Amino acid sequence: MSNLDKFRTETKKWLDENCPPSMRSGADPSIPVDEVWGGRNAEYKNPESKLWLDRMGEKGWTMPTVPKEYGGGGLNKEEVKILNEEMFLIGARQPLLSFGIWMLAPVLLEYGNEAQKKEHIPKILKGEIRWCQGYSEPGSGSDLASLSTKAEDAGDHFLVNGQKVWTSYADKADWIFALVRTGAKEPKHDGISFVLIDMATKGVSTKPITLISGKSPFCETFFDNVEVPKENLIGELNAGWTIAKKLLQHERAFISNFGLAGAAAGGGRSGRDIVSIAKKHLGEENGKIKNSFYRTEIASHKIKEHAFGLTLKRAGDEGGKASATASMFKLYGTEHNKKRHELMVAASGVDGVAWDGDEFDQDDKNLTRAWLRTKGNSIEGGTSEVQLNVISKRVLNLPSQ
Amino acid sequence: MKLILTEEEQFLKDTAKNFAEERCPISHFRSLRDNNDPILWDKEIWKEMTTLGWPGILIPEEYGGSNFGITGISVILGECAKTLTPSPLFATGVLGAFSITNFGSSEQKQNYLPKIVSGELTTALAIDESSHHNPANTEMTAKKDGKNFILNGKKTFVVDGASADLLIVLARTSGNKGEMSGLTLFLIDSNDPGIEKIKLDMADSRNYANINFNNIKVDAKSILGDEETGGETAENILDIGRIAIASEMLGNAEAAFETTLDYLKQRKQFGVLIGSFQALQHRAAEMFCELELTKSSVLAAMKAADEGSNELQRLSSLSKTIAGETLHLVSNEAVQMHGGIGVTDEYDIGFFLKRARVAEQIFGSSKFHTERYANISGF
Ligand SMILES: Cc1cc2nc3c(=O)[nH]c(=O)nc-3n(C[C@H](O)[C@H](O)[C@H](O)COP(=O)(O)OP(=O)(O)OC[C@H]3O[C@@H](n4cnc5c(N)ncnc54)[C@H](O)[C@@H]3O)c2cc1C
């Protein structure tokens, strides 16, 4: 038996013994489902969510490619593929959703020193510490490098003052990775540092913001004379912009997968499939969506989705050149996801704009909220216009004014 | 299925790129058009393509071909399309070679394949009978007369129809217009006295004809594949043709886009390069994304054809739809971003627009294939 075959057999066995029944497809629908983000204050409606997280975290399989010395799975690419396939086969849930995994850990591995990697990565992948992202400020969104949250040198620590905004889940997170100004305002990219701040530190406070979807997943975050130990600086002083940009590429890569994951077989993440929604609300005739105008639009949309999926696959087969293509995927994936939700809402008619109350199906009400949430997809992680700028400049080499 | 070219395919692509750039830049096409060339492709260039082995790429080695596959021939067509090189390669090297290799009797293979490889024989596929592609609407009849068939009817918009030696013709042996059953494919010598070719003058200045068939008498040996199931066979040939033409259209779009990008980096207005205007930058970036999607779709379809995937039909319609839409967009934007010179005959970019609109119609428009994609997908 080859090593990979052996790995597959062992993995299958391990998953069989360790993945709790309610964490697999076909689970009893009456058992509550948690969105597991981990952290110091995590609460679980279903104790098996925690059990599954702990087991996967212990194996390092929440970040399977990370070296074992930092608590990861230490798997190679082929092994990860096998792990994913085996998890897919039993319909295993992702044990942990995490900004730490998607964004911070990859840049810590690249830019952090040994002590920082040893300190933070294991806690990220075990879900012990929940992270949030402190980039945007009231005056600095797309023009992120103009940021002004200040970190002054105070001997053994930095003194941080300023405000961040749109900080997703800041009120639930334990730590924040933040961009702060440690140098001059001009040239703006050169005075920025990348620091890690414990949200429990005196002087850090958050205030939730309500979104058009009615939910309140993000906050204003305030820093009032916050003392941050010097060892929490990642990379060199004033050299944070490079790290910041690298992290954005990781962020864009995972955001671009949202739409597709959502649209994948039977609706994936969101469980919403545009064809079944259209058939439910518009009727079906000989297996076809009854209304030809909607049918045409949905078909065009499905074709684009198929082509986009093939493009992600091609990028993988080519060896996944990151950087500028991440911008393309972020742009296309999020615009496509918005369009998909617009079509689902339109195909649902009045039910697609239901807000609350017993007259409407829960599915329809959820769709309304989900549709509104997608509007943020093309803003978070750099707006669509910003992605178009990146493609123009870095891929097409078009001149600046 | 891996979405990357093999070394062999990459080699064919590079060879074709050099050939097209050196031997037939756009000026070559322009001079054929300006000289009112009767067949609108150059026999000398065709000979050179033959020397490179291109017409035999889909033909097995025993008949002198190289059997390099659909991906191989399609990437060649894609490169030739970048300089708008006209040649019989599509109608003969793809449609003729694929049809006879896969559905021909051993006698038909013996008779025709070596001659396709050597460049002596060119072919054309005659399917449509009206202004919109629709094989099911075939009305042309092939009536049984003892051991023979008598063919009567009219075919329209036959690619290379004005010059091809051998015609592959879809005719009705039973049933009614609108049905895919009851159809049969015939191989017919285009010099038959009952054939009348009417050369068409199309916007893209390439070789097309309408063809009238008046009491053409052939025997059963002229049937390609099986009697009565020619509709299915034709669909299979068409799917390969659609993929190859989608690859051409991708080549057209890539070239028009490159030319436009160059222009954005050269032309100055208001004291700056026009490529620094964000209104144009964003439109260029959007085209870039559409081109990337098109590359993936065409590549997936070519690979599916070579691997005999059961996704072939769906991917064929996907690639023809996406290639059509992308070329449509890029050809329009290319003209617009060139300003005044974009609409002059002297400048080449307008050729791409004219080629685009004609190619969009070949073997089904994006609309046709969007509907077909939906039917195959079950919605
Ligand atoms: C759901 C959601 C979650 C988020 N989570 C976080 C988070 O966790 N942490 C965090 O730090 N931030 C987060 N953000 C903030 C996000 O990164 C910013 O909103 C985004 O970068 C845009 O900044 P802005 O809101 O200030 O808009 P602005 O930059 O003011 O943009 C306004 C408009 O101007 C356009 N524009 C701006 N500059 C240009 C240009 N150069 N060319 C063309 N058009 C331009 C924009 O595209 C946009 O349409 C989140 C945002 C959303 C919606």
Side-chain angles (χ1 to χ4, degrees):
Chain A
M1 204 169 11
S2 80
N3 282 343
L4 286 181
D5 288 339
K6 193 158 159 256
F7 178 76
R8 189 183 291 278
T9 313
E10 285 167 8
T11 303
K12 206 185 262 302
K13 179 154 177 280
W14 188 88
L15 287 171
D16 192 48
E17 286 163 3
N18 289 281
C19 183
S22 67
M23 294 293 111
R24 306 176 184 206
S25 61
D28 177 352
S30 68
I31 299 175
V33 180
D34 293 298
E35 252 197 23
V36 179
W37 289 88
R40 290 175 189 145
N41 305 315
E43 283 169 20
Y44 301 91
K45 287 179 256 160
N46 174 359
E48 290 190 342
S49 302
K50 172 84 166 85
L51 186 65
W52 178 223
L53 170 61
D54 286 347
R55 287 176 174 170
M56 284 291 277
E58 199 50 51
K59 275 222 98 53
W61 281 1
T62 49
M63 288 199 84
T65 55
V66 166
K68 284 209 161 127
E69 52 191 307
Y70 307 124
L75 304 187
N76 62 33
K77 252 182 152 177
E78 284 88 45
E79 291 168 333
V80 174
K81 195 160 160 264
I82 291 173
L83 173 61
N84 287 338
E85 285 165 3
E86 292 301 323
M87 284 179 66
F88 183 81
L89 274 179
I90 60 167
R93 291 176 64 87
Q94 281 304 325
L96 180 61
L97 307 170
S98 157
F99 292 169
I101 290 178
W102 298 327
M103 300 189 236
L104 180 61
V107 300
L108 279 182
L109 279 170
E110 189 172 350
Y111 299 98
N113 61 33
E114 203 51 30
Q116 291 165 337
K117 290 192 244 189
K118 287 240 157 80
E119 168 64 22
H120 296 292
I121 295 176
K123 291 181 185 164
I124 288 175
L125 55 82
K126 290 198 169 70
E128 288 169 12
I129 293 294
R130 180 170 180 177
W131 287 85
C132 64
Q133 177 186 27
Y135 273 34
S136 308
E137 297 181 5
S140 304
S142 300
D143 183 13
L144 182 60
S146 69
L147 62 93
S148 51
T149 293
K150 220 167 45 191
E152 287 164 295
D153 192 332
D156 64 339
H157 64 269
F158 295 110
L159 195 63
V160 177
N161 276 291
Q163 186 198 335
K164 296 288 172 184
V165 71
W166 320 128
T167 327
S168 296
Y169 306 117
D171 51 344
K172 305 208 166 57
D174 307 310
W175 279 65
I176 183 167
F177 51 90
L179 297 178
V180 292
R181 186 156 297 283
T182 43
K185 267 233 120 153
E186 289 294 336
K188 59 187 177 184
H189 301 100
D190 295 346
I192 295 172
S193 297
F194 190 104
V195 296
L196 310 180
I197 304 173
D198 186 340
M199 300 285 280
T201 320
K202 188 165 161 275
V204 181
S205 60
T206 61
K207 194 171 148 219
I209 305 169
T210 305
L211 295 191
I212 47 177
S213 65
K215 296 203 171 148
S216 180
F218 57 23
C219 301
E220 294 175 279
T221 306
F222 302 94
F223 301 96
D224 186 13
N225 286 321
V226 176
E227 294 184 13
V228 178
K230 284 248 170 99
E231 70 241 33
N232 290 4
L233 171 72
I234 306 298
E236 301 281 309
L237 192 73
N238 292 330
W241 186 244
T242 312
I243 307 173
K245 277 193 302 188
K246 198 60 183 267
L247 186 138
L248 280 174
Q249 285 173 13
H250 293 290
E251 177 178 13
R252 284 164 192 171
F254 95 81
I255 294 177
S256 60
N257 273 318
F258 273 8
L260 212 68
R269 236 173 94 93
S270 65
R272 286 184 199 94
D273 170 46
I274 186 164
V275 171
S276 29
I277 286 183
K279 284 180 176 173
K280 173 179 160 198
H281 291 276
L282 295 160
E284 187 176 346
E285 206 168 55
N286 306 324
K288 295 177 184 175
I289 297 162
K290 209 166 169 184
N291 181 305
S292 66
F293 293 99
Y294 284 101
R295 181 171 183 253
T296 309
E297 249 195 280
I298 289 169
S300 294
H301 182 76
K302 280 283 196 187
I303 283 177
K304 283 286 163 69
E305 187 165 285
H306 193 164
F308 182 59
L310 290 169
T311 307
L312 286 170
K313 172 163 168 36
R314 177 164 66 89
D317 290 348
E318 284 171 353
K321 285 173 256 144
S323 70
T325 43
S327 282
M328 176 182 89
F329 290 132
K330 201 276 173 180
L331 169 74
Y332 214 98
T334 57
E335 291 297 334
H336 187 84
N337 198 36
K338 284 199 298 186
K339 181 84 194 295
R340 187 166 72 91
H341 281 80
E342 285 293 355
L343 278 171
M344 289 192 288
V345 164
S348 303
V350 171
D351 296 335
V353 283
W355 189 254
D356 211 348
D358 296 336
E359 285 300 298
F360 298 103
D361 283 358
Q362 193 56 43
D363 279 353
D364 293 331
K365 287 181 287 188
N366 289 346
L367 173 61
T368 310
R369 309 292 175 123
W371 156 66
L372 288 164
R373 175 62 183 85
T374 62
K375 298 303 173 194
N377 292 162
S378 51
I379 298 170
E380 62 198 314
T383 66
S384 286
E385 290 76 14
V386 165
Q387 308 310 324
L388 287 165
N389 288 344
V390 174
I391 296 169
S392 310
K393 303 231 157 72
R394 300 226 201 99
V395 186
L396 305 179
N397 294 314
L398 287 168
S400 310
Q401 276 213 352
Chain B
M1 179 162 71
K2 269 225 182 304
L3 295 184
I4 30 181
L5 294 181
T6 63
E7 249 170 64
E8 265 168 10
E9 289 155 358
Q10 188 60 47
F11 175 77
L12 289 174
K13 188 176 156 95
D14 295 342
T15 310
K17 181 174 156 52
N18 287 337
F19 179 83
E21 284 170 3
E22 279 164 28
R23 297 294 298 127
C24 25
I26 300 180
S27 55
H28 168 77
F29 162 69
R30 182 183 284 278
S31 75
L32 287 168
R33 184 202 66 161
D34 288 350
N35 298 333
N36 277 323
D37 189 281
I39 61 170
L40 291 160
W41 48 266
D42 183 337
K43 293 196 166 139
E44 199 41 52
I45 292 288
W46 181 231
K47 216 186 223 165
E48 291 178 33
M49 289 182 171
T50 305
T51 312
L52 288 166
W54 292 354
I57 284 191
L58 293 185
I59 293 176
E61 283 160 28
E62 54 180 309
Y63 302 103
S66 61
N67 210 8
F68 271 142
I70 311 291
T71 309
I73 189 87
S74 301
V75 295
I76 291 174
L77 282 165
E79 290 304 315
C80 291
K82 290 183 182 168
T83 61
L84 297 163
T85 305
S87 82
L89 196 56
F90 172 65
T92 303
V94 177
L95 303 173
F98 180 83
S99 305
I100 298 170
T101 296
N102 289 280
F103 304 106
S105 64
S106 56
E107 191 184 330
Q108 287 166 342
K109 290 188 204 175
Q110 292 292 353
N111 279 348
Y112 300 122
L113 293 180
K115 288 189 184 157
I116 289 180
V117 172
S118 68
E120 279 165 80
L121 181 91
T122 60
T123 63
L125 179 66
I127 303 283
D128 288 315
E129 302 182 8
S130 73
S131 55
H132 286 272
H133 175 68
N134 192 342
N137 278 350
T138 299
E139 284 185 289
M140 174 163 171
T141 53
K143 285 226 167 71
K144 248 203 173 120
D145 177 30
K147 283 189 171 166
N148 296 322
F149 292 86
I150 312 285
L151 278 69
N152 276 295
K154 178 176 184 175
K155 292 290 175 182
T156 56
F157 189 50
V158 178
V159 177
D160 280 3
S163 59
D165 306 305
L166 182 72
L167 303 174
I168 305 163
V169 184
L170 188 64
R172 192 164 283 292
T173 36
S174 72
N176 300 305
K177 178 179 177 182
E179 298 169 0
M180 277 307 272
S181 55
L183 296 169
T184 305
L185 281 167
F186 292 90
L187 298 181
I188 295 171
D189 181 351
S190 78
N191 290 318
D192 190 293
I195 283 184
E196 186 192 357
K197 295 185 228 172
I198 307 150
K199 182 175 180 264
L200 299 177
D201 212 345
M202 304 296 296
D204 66 346
S205 307
R206 282 172 181 247
N207 183 319
Y208 304 93
N210 284 353
I211 303 178
N212 288 319
F213 297 81
N214 303 310
N215 290 316
I216 309 278
K217 194 181 200 173
V218 292
D219 63 17
K221 282 188 186 161
S222 296
I223 292 177
L224 179 75
D226 294 321
E227 199 178 328
E228 292 286 290
T229 57
E232 250 172 70
T233 311
E235 271 302 334
N236 191 196
I237 300 167
L238 284 166
D239 271 329
I240 301 305
R242 287 157 182 156
I243 293 167
I245 198 81
S247 178
E248 269 202 62
M249 292 163 80
L250 169 63
N252 292 146
E254 286 182 290
F257 184 62
E258 279 305 316
T259 307
T260 306
L261 273 186
D262 286 347
Y263 193 68
L264 294 181
K265 293 172 188 173
Q266 283 165 24
R267 168 77 174 165
K268 277 191 169 179
Q269 281 297 282
F270 300 98
V272 296
L273 293 168
I274 57 169
S276 65
F277 298 134
Q278 199 181 50
L280 302 189
Q281 289 184 341
H282 283 193
R283 279 152 61 189
E286 271 160 8
M287 284 192 268
F288 167 80
C289 295
E290 298 300 338
L291 279 165
E292 288 299 307
L293 262 66
T294 310
K295 282 184 206 167
S296 320
S297 306
V298 171
L299 188 54
M302 301 188 303
K303 294 274 169 184
D306 282 328
E307 290 171 21
S309 152
N310 56 8
E311 277 280 280
L312 174 68
Q313 296 186 327
R314 216 157 80 102
L315 287 170
S316 158
S317 280
L318 173 81
S319 64
K320 185 68 175 40
T321 303
I322 297 262
E325 286 174 353
T326 301
L327 181 57
H328 194 99
L329 170 78
V330 174
S331 58
N332 276 338
E333 288 286 60
V335 167
Q336 176 66 20
M337 290 188 189
H338 276 83
I341 61 159
V343 289
T344 61
D345 183 69
E346 193 189 330
Y347 200 78
D348 291 336
I349 203 74
F351 284 153
F352 286 93
L353 178 64
K354 291 192 267 191
R355 172 62 184 157
R357 289 307 176 281
V358 180
E360 282 170 39
Q361 293 298 332
I362 296 175
F363 300 160
S365 65
S366 292
K367 302 269 185 307
F368 175 93
H369 285 289
T370 300
E371 155 112 81
R372 186 169 180 257
Y373 181 95
N375 289 340
I376 298 170
S377 304
F379 56 87

